[in-house]
Amino acid sequence: MASFKITGDRRLKGEIVPQGAKNEALQIICAVLLTKEPVTIHNIPNIRDVNQLINLLGDLGVRRTRLSETSIRFEADDINLDYLESDSFRQKAAALRGSVMLLGPMLARFRKGRIPRPGGDKIGRRRLDTHFLGFEKLGATFSYDEEDGGFYRVDAANLKGTYMLLDEASVTGTANVLMAAVMAEGTTTIYNAACEPYLQQLCKMLNRMGAKISGIASNMLIVEGVSELKGTEHTMLPDMIEIGSFIGLAAMTQSEITIKDCQIPELGIIPDVFQRLGIKMEFRGDDIFIPAQERYRIENYLDGSTLSVADAPWPGFTPDLLSIVLVTATQAQGTVLIHQKMFESRLFFVDKLIEMGAQIILCDPHRATVIGHNRETQLRGIRMTSPDIRAGVALLIAAMSAKGVSIIDNIEQIDRGYQNIDTRLNAIGAEIVRL
């Protein structure tokens, strides 16, 4: 198990470029299975989850040609479906939550699929019902065999378009069902679809491959099935979660940072939420400049009541940034209620922030009230463990702003979502040592 040793209370200065979007990468890379023709993908993040998925595709028979540090050409013309029955596939796919995204493309092209119960973050219940209910609506049947190593087996010999109302606006559920529907017979209407930029990117890519998808960026997607798809070229968006993390990091460490190439129109309300915490920023073309701020003050509502920041389906605020907002608020002037609606265990890392000296009341598994210090009391360095990707980076931000030295264990969780984060932050003045 690797660890970070962080010497805190250092101000950073310089430019930092966000990686390609992790949440987009997992579905875009799975989509290469939909065609025999080459698919070239640019701006691929060099992170553990994405690399594991790319390697898993290689084991399935997908040829990969690296064109540059962030670009790969995939060719899925000779897929070995027998590999799905192997112990190797079971172990590798079970360790990667994104592996469930293989099912939609496999059902579309091969009319069958097999996947073990996926792993991933320990942040609460993350059900797969949306995926499987959508597949069933399209005519697929599935079974779950506990004795067979916990495998889901799906048969889709007769995929037919239909109307479906998703039980939740799940990003991965929408993407998975969409990839199955593009080669189903007839027309599929997906209502209550997620409409995050990641989904919009996938839809645009599939249309370039020959799919017929309308309603992009809305919560109703209409898909006219086609018999086959062709190759394409695709460039992924910058990671909005990294961009938000860097905004919070700059505020907490009183640093002057320029975040490059942000594709600001795709960020939705993310900049607005951080501005409501009192963080100043300037939009310079497609860059976001965060000036060094001695203090920042949380806005109240117009009637004077306490600000509440809650997650919601897009275009609401992404749940992946609530932990960053929470830690950033610990040194603000004012009070904010953080309401994590989606995952019941994602706020449990606040006990480490409290141990560092933060003033936080954990109201219940979904809500926490943060009373900001207004820099009158500095956080102190401690030893802690990263429970998941986003909480791990929140703890890293806390450690970088704290007085003294902190150790964060289990940083493999951070590496799952943030590319060479220690190297990139050290380049602008941080002091992070990988142990």
Side-chain angles (χ1 to χ4, degrees):
M1 182 183 293
S3 304
F4 280 150
K5 177 182 177 183
I6 304 107
T7 302
D9 202 18
R10 294 176 64 91
R11 296 196 180 193
L12 315 184
K13 187 171 183 177
E15 297 180 347
I16 193 161
V17 180
Q19 67 189 27
K22 169 186 179 284
N23 290 340
E24 179 184 342
L26 296 177
Q27 56 199 41
I28 290 293
I29 290 171
C30 288
V32 306
L33 287 173
L34 287 165
T35 179
K36 296 180 179 180
E37 297 184 15
V39 176
T40 300
I41 302 176
H42 304 290
N43 202 26
I44 299 174
N46 180 21
I47 54 178
R48 199 181 76 181
D49 274 14
V50 171
N51 292 336
Q52 285 181 334
L53 181 59
I54 292 171
N55 290 337
L56 189 59
L57 287 176
D59 292 337
L60 275 166
V62 179
R63 297 197 305 280
R64 300 149 296 157
T65 305
R66 186 165 288 279
L67 307 177
S68 71
E69 187 177 344
T70 60
S71 299
I72 299 176
R73 183 174 65 245
F74 297 88
E75 295 175 83
D77 56 336
D78 187 19
I79 298 301
N80 177 20
L81 293 178
D82 291 339
Y83 179 69
L84 299 176
E85 307 293 331
S86 68
D87 286 339
S88 172
F89 176 72
R90 179 181 59 80
Q91 293 169 4
K92 291 182 179 181
L96 177 65
R97 182 157 195 90
S99 64
V100 72
M101 302 296 296
L102 296 169
L103 272 181
M106 285 195 290
L107 298 184
R109 185 171 161 198
F110 305 109
R111 296 308 200 241
K112 63 180 179 179
R114 188 173 189 257
I115 201 80
R117 184 187 294 273
D121 286 330
K122 302 294 187 288
I123 59 175
R125 184 174 59 94
R126 305 179 78 179
R127 57 194 182 88
L128 298 175
D129 299 52
T130 305
H131 303 248
F132 288 116
L133 290 172
F135 295 149
E136 282 188 320
K137 287 278 189 179
L138 292 171
T141 58
F142 79 94
S143 60
Y144 177 70
D145 190 346
E146 188 72 52
E147 295 181 0
D148 189 24
F151 266 98
Y152 295 98
R153 290 182 177 271
V154 190
D155 177 74
N158 297 296
L159 278 186
K160 291 190 177 180
T162 186
Y163 170 89
M164 67 180 76
L165 173 62
L166 299 186
D167 64 330
E168 62 173 350
S170 162
V171 176
T172 56
T174 302
N176 224 351
V177 173
L178 176 69
M179 288 190 283
V182 291
M183 294 171 70
E185 180 185 339
T187 300
T188 300
T189 299
I190 306 174
Y191 194 32
N192 195 30
C195 56
E196 272 79 352
Y198 315 131
L199 251 300
Q200 297 175 37
Q201 286 280 94
L202 176 64
C203 290
K204 293 172 186 176
M205 173 184 170
L206 293 175
N207 278 350
R208 288 196 304 272
M209 295 171 72
K212 296 179 180 179
I213 304 168
S214 58
I216 298 172
S218 78
N219 67 344
M220 180 179 281
L221 297 174
I222 299 174
V223 187
E224 296 179 43
V226 298
S227 59
E228 62 179 5
L229 296 178
K230 59 186 179 181
T232 190
E233 193 165 345
H234 180 81
T235 300
M236 291 193 290
L237 293 173
D239 196 307
M240 66 172 73
I241 313 304
E242 264 214 344
I243 293 168
S245 301
F246 295 149
I247 293 172
L249 170 66
M252 276 288 282
T253 58
Q254 300 171 281
S255 298
E256 180 183 301
I257 294 176
T258 299
I259 310 169
K260 302 289 291 181
D261 305 326
C262 295
Q263 296 209 25
I264 294 168
E266 303 291 347
L267 296 178
I269 65 169
I270 289 172
D272 297 335
V273 171
F274 283 100
Q275 286 172 326
R276 299 204 73 177
L277 296 183
I279 299 170
K280 296 176 183 176
M281 60 186 76
E282 299 174 17
F283 301 136
R284 300 177 173 178
D286 225 13
D287 302 341
I288 299 177
F289 172 72
I290 313 293
Q293 287 182 250
E294 201 66 34
R295 285 180 167 80
Y296 47 101
R297 180 177 181 174
I298 298 170
E299 294 180 6
N300 289 333
Y301 289 114
L302 292 176
D303 63 0
S305 58
T306 299
L307 178 68
S308 175
V309 178
D311 58 333
W314 191 269
F317 192 66
T318 172
D320 283 345
L321 278 174
L322 279 183
S323 56
I324 307 300
V325 169
L326 188 151
V327 73
T328 305
T330 62
Q331 285 299 340
Q333 178 185 350
T335 300
V336 62
L337 174 68
I338 305 296
H339 191 176
Q340 167 60 267
K341 298 175 184 176
M342 193 170 296
F343 303 115
E344 65 269 17
S345 305
R346 216 170 197 176
L347 295 180
F348 288 167
F349 77 100
V350 301
D351 62 335
K352 300 303 179 186
L353 296 178
I354 294 170
E355 190 178 341
M356 297 176 80
Q359 290 184 301
I360 303 171
I361 301 168
L362 185 60
C363 310
D364 57 45
H366 291 277
R367 296 177 301 157
T369 300
V370 184
I371 301 105
H373 281 313
N374 194 24
R375 303 213 188 274
E376 293 174 1
T377 304
Q378 190 172 5
L379 299 182
R380 57 182 175 271
I382 63 168
R383 185 162 200 146
M384 45 197 159
T385 298
S386 170
D388 65 74
I389 300 174
R390 309 309 175 187
V393 170
L395 294 175
L396 177 61
I397 291 171
M400 292 176 66
S401 73
K403 185 176 182 179
V405 174
S406 296
I407 303 289
I408 301 179
D409 298 317
N410 193 31
I411 60 167
E412 288 83 1
Q413 286 286 0
I414 298 174
D415 288 337
R416 286 180 52 217
Y418 291 81
Q419 170 181 312
N420 304 323
I421 190 68
D422 49 334
T423 304
R424 291 192 289 154
L425 293 179
N426 285 343
I428 57 173
E431 191 172 331
I432 306 169
V433 178
R434 186 179 289 262
L435 305 177

